Amino acid sequence: MRVLMFGWEFPPHISGGLGTACYGLTKGISHIPDLDVIFVVPKAFGDEDQSTMQLVGANNIPIKQRKLNVSKFAKQLDYIEVDSKLVPYVDPEEFWTMNSYEVSGTRKFVQTNEKGKVDFTGTYGPNLLKEIADYAIVSNVIAQDNEFDVIHAHDWLCYPAGIAAKEASGKPLVVHVHATDFDRSGGSVNPTVFEIEKRGMNAADKVITVSNLTRRTVIEKYGIPAEKVVTVYNAVEPSENLSEFPIKKNEGEKIVTFLGRITMQKGPEYFIEVANAVLKRVDNVRFVMAGSGDMMEKMIRRAASLNIMDKFHFTGFLKGDDVFHMLRMSDLYVMPSVSEPFGISPLEAMQSSVPVLISHQSGVAEILTYAIKTNFWDIEAMADAIHGIVSYPALSSMFVKHGKEEVDSLKWENSARNVKSVYDSVLV
């Protein structure tokens, strides 16, 4: 079986969990005999790991003087050519130059370079909606030029590409919901994004969600039939050589870490408040907020107003080895997400022998036993949990030991087999 898979980013060029999950899944699929993946991204940089799949960059596909297989397809594109202001998964390093933008007018033609190819940035910039539409058009050509059995499109950015490939080939479409705009916006959905998501789910033969939490959202908010929606949990890529990262911190001092986008969805304000509550009880704790996002300045101001900046640190965006270095320094990882479809970062923390505190409002809470769980808004419960971990070494050691064993059993090969079952169901 061959899968034509559409993503938006792929390591090492990632800005969040989507690219990490796609990479893990493709590696998991590589363990399944007779299952091959053609993985398409808008822009291929050339340094991606292609040991487990064939990577195709839409930016490398000539489309000039190519006939598109379209009937309903042209109408499918109209709905994303509207005025809109959105920042979906902002690259933290680019955020400060992206306060607002809009896409206006209706495009009738696709601009190509002198080689007849479409130039893609491969990022989440001000021309995002235009790139989504162009990606779909190129995907129609890619589907005509390749042999495959099933189409797999990851998240809303790629749903139009999946629809275009289905239109060109007639092959079944599976869409993979890693998050919805209800998660990113706190319920104040962008109508353009919602429409893209809903059309993608409606066009799909099956919908994969990363948790039962997300599955309920897809069924209840998007009106997708329950029998069409299947949950397949994410996993974590085995990380070797974690012991190579040295631990440097003041003796007797504990570090509690928030690591992620500093946006409403991740609950950073609750982390600030719980830090203040803990520091009223003990003073040998430092709190770290690693990441960046649209709420960063507000969080800095709040920490300053509480007079805890001497115990609070903002690192900015971390990536690569810096992430694991930060985790190795930590005595507790906290993810107080308001709405988290899954959340791979707690698994990475547990893998690094760090106990974790996560919100009940996260999908990963459904599969973890050895994680402390509270409601995101329950400051006192979180403060009690943090105080317990930093004050009682035996409690921390218990979570470290059993948490490491638990996360080591969560393998991408198992997730890939479940995805393969979904493929089999649409090919019957």
Side-chain angles (χ1 to χ4, degrees):
M1 182 191 303
R2 174 171 280 193
V3 182
L4 181 62
M5 189 176 289
F6 293 98
W8 194 262
E9 59 180 30
F10 201 82
H13 306 280
I14 61 173
S15 68
L18 179 61
T20 301
C22 289
Y23 182 56
L25 181 59
T26 56
K27 291 194 75 173
I29 286 175
S30 70
H31 293 277
I32 301 176
D34 302 319
L35 184 58
D36 300 316
V37 173
I38 304 171
F39 195 93
V40 186
V41 289
K43 181 175 182 177
F45 292 85
D47 57 350
E48 296 87 352
D49 178 8
Q50 298 189 47
S51 60
T52 59
M53 48 79 200
Q54 175 189 347
L55 188 81
V56 174
N59 61 307
N60 294 322
I61 304 299
I63 65 167
K64 188 175 284 189
Q65 298 180 358
R66 286 294 301 269
K67 183 178 180 180
L68 298 181
N69 265 355
V70 296
S71 55
K72 298 178 293 182
F73 176 52
K75 294 181 179 178
Q76 292 286 347
L77 280 186
D78 288 344
Y79 66 87
I80 64 175
E81 297 301 337
V82 297
D83 291 350
S84 181
K85 295 180 180 180
L86 63 146
V87 182
Y89 293 105
V90 177
D91 183 329
E93 296 177 329
E94 295 179 349
F95 175 81
W96 305 110
T97 61
M98 293 175 54
N99 290 326
S100 66
Y101 60 81
E102 64 181 22
V103 178
S104 60
T106 301
R107 295 170 56 257
K108 299 296 184 184
F109 300 97
V110 179
Q111 184 175 356
T112 60
N113 58 30
E114 67 279 3
K115 297 180 181 179
K117 302 174 183 178
V118 179
D119 290 321
F120 291 93
T121 65
T123 61
Y124 304 93
N127 294 321
L128 180 63
L129 291 181
K130 174 183 180 296
E131 292 208 0
I132 291 173
D134 288 348
Y135 189 31
I137 290 171
V138 179
S139 298
N140 186 280
V141 173
I142 292 171
Q144 294 178 53
D145 290 348
N146 288 274
E147 294 293 328
F148 55 91
D149 303 289
V150 64
I151 305 157
H152 188 154
H154 290 278
D155 238 15
W156 71 276
L157 300 153
C158 304
Y159 295 167
I163 293 172
K166 182 176 181 177
E167 181 81 8
S169 65
K171 297 298 173 69
L173 169 65
V174 173
V175 301
H176 204 136
V177 184
H178 295 264
T180 71
D181 206 46
F182 285 92
D183 302 301
R184 292 182 291 266
S185 68
S188 302
V189 296
N190 181 295
T192 302
V193 178
F194 176 83
E195 187 67 12
I196 294 174
E197 290 176 327
K198 185 170 174 59
R199 290 196 184 213
M201 295 174 196
N202 283 333
D205 297 271
K206 283 284 187 179
V207 177
I208 295 175
T209 58
V210 294
S211 64
N212 288 328
L213 180 74
T214 305
R215 182 175 184 270
R216 287 192 295 272
T217 300
V218 166
I219 294 168
E220 295 170 6
K221 302 293 188 181
Y222 294 83
I224 306 302
E227 62 273 14
K228 186 175 171 177
V229 190
V230 180
T231 295
V232 176
Y233 292 111
N234 288 331
V236 63
E237 182 69 14
S239 189
E240 301 173 359
N241 305 321
L242 288 177
S243 60
E244 292 182 2
F245 297 103
I247 301 175
K248 296 180 181 179
K249 60 182 178 181
N250 295 334
E251 187 175 350
E253 198 163 56
K254 304 295 183 179
I255 295 178
V256 178
T257 300
F258 170 108
L259 197 155
R261 295 192 308 276
I262 306 177
T263 62
M264 178 282 303
Q265 178 189 353
K266 303 295 184 178
E269 66 268 43
Y270 300 100
F271 186 71
I272 299 279
E273 300 304 324
V274 79
N276 184 49
V278 170
L279 289 169
K280 289 178 179 178
R281 304 187 196 182
V282 291
D283 64 358
N284 68 326
V285 186
R286 290 190 180 274
F287 289 83
V288 175
M289 183 166 282
S292 57
D294 63 316
M295 291 182 67
M296 186 171 183
E297 183 177 347
K298 181 180 179 181
M299 294 302 97
I300 294 172
R301 291 180 180 276
R302 179 55 179 162
S305 71
L306 292 170
N307 294 315
I308 60 172
M309 285 297 285
D310 60 325
K311 294 286 189 177
F312 209 102
H313 305 269
F314 294 87
T315 70
F317 179 59
L318 300 181
K319 59 183 176 181
D321 289 349
D322 289 339
V323 171
F324 288 100
H325 190 187
M326 186 69 248
L327 289 174
R328 285 277 293 164
M329 292 176 63
S330 303
D331 296 279
L332 179 67
Y333 172 81
V334 180
M335 188 181 76
S337 295
V338 175
S339 179
E340 185 75 48
F342 186 76
I344 289 178
S345 55
L347 303 184
E348 294 175 333
M350 294 167 72
Q351 193 178 59
S352 303
S353 299
V354 179
V356 300
L357 167 59
I358 59 178
S359 70
H360 285 299
Q361 290 72 29
S362 62
V364 72
E366 297 172 14
I367 63 170
L368 290 179
T369 300
Y370 291 98
I372 307 167
K373 305 170 192 177
T374 69
N375 290 309
F376 70 85
W377 43 260
D378 197 336
I379 302 300
E380 287 305 312
M382 281 193 283
D384 287 343
I386 294 172
H387 183 259
I389 290 292
V390 301
S391 301
Y392 301 100
L395 182 63
S396 176
S397 296
M398 184 274 291
F399 278 106
V400 167
K401 178 180 184 295
H402 294 293
K404 183 75 164 62
E405 293 171 352
E406 183 174 36
V407 77
D408 285 346
S409 69
L410 300 175
K411 301 183 182 299
W412 277 112
E413 297 100 284
N414 298 331
S415 301
R417 290 188 189 95
N418 291 330
V419 169
K420 169 66 160 51
S421 296
V422 175
Y423 295 159
D424 291 338
S425 71
V426 300
L427 290 172
V428 173

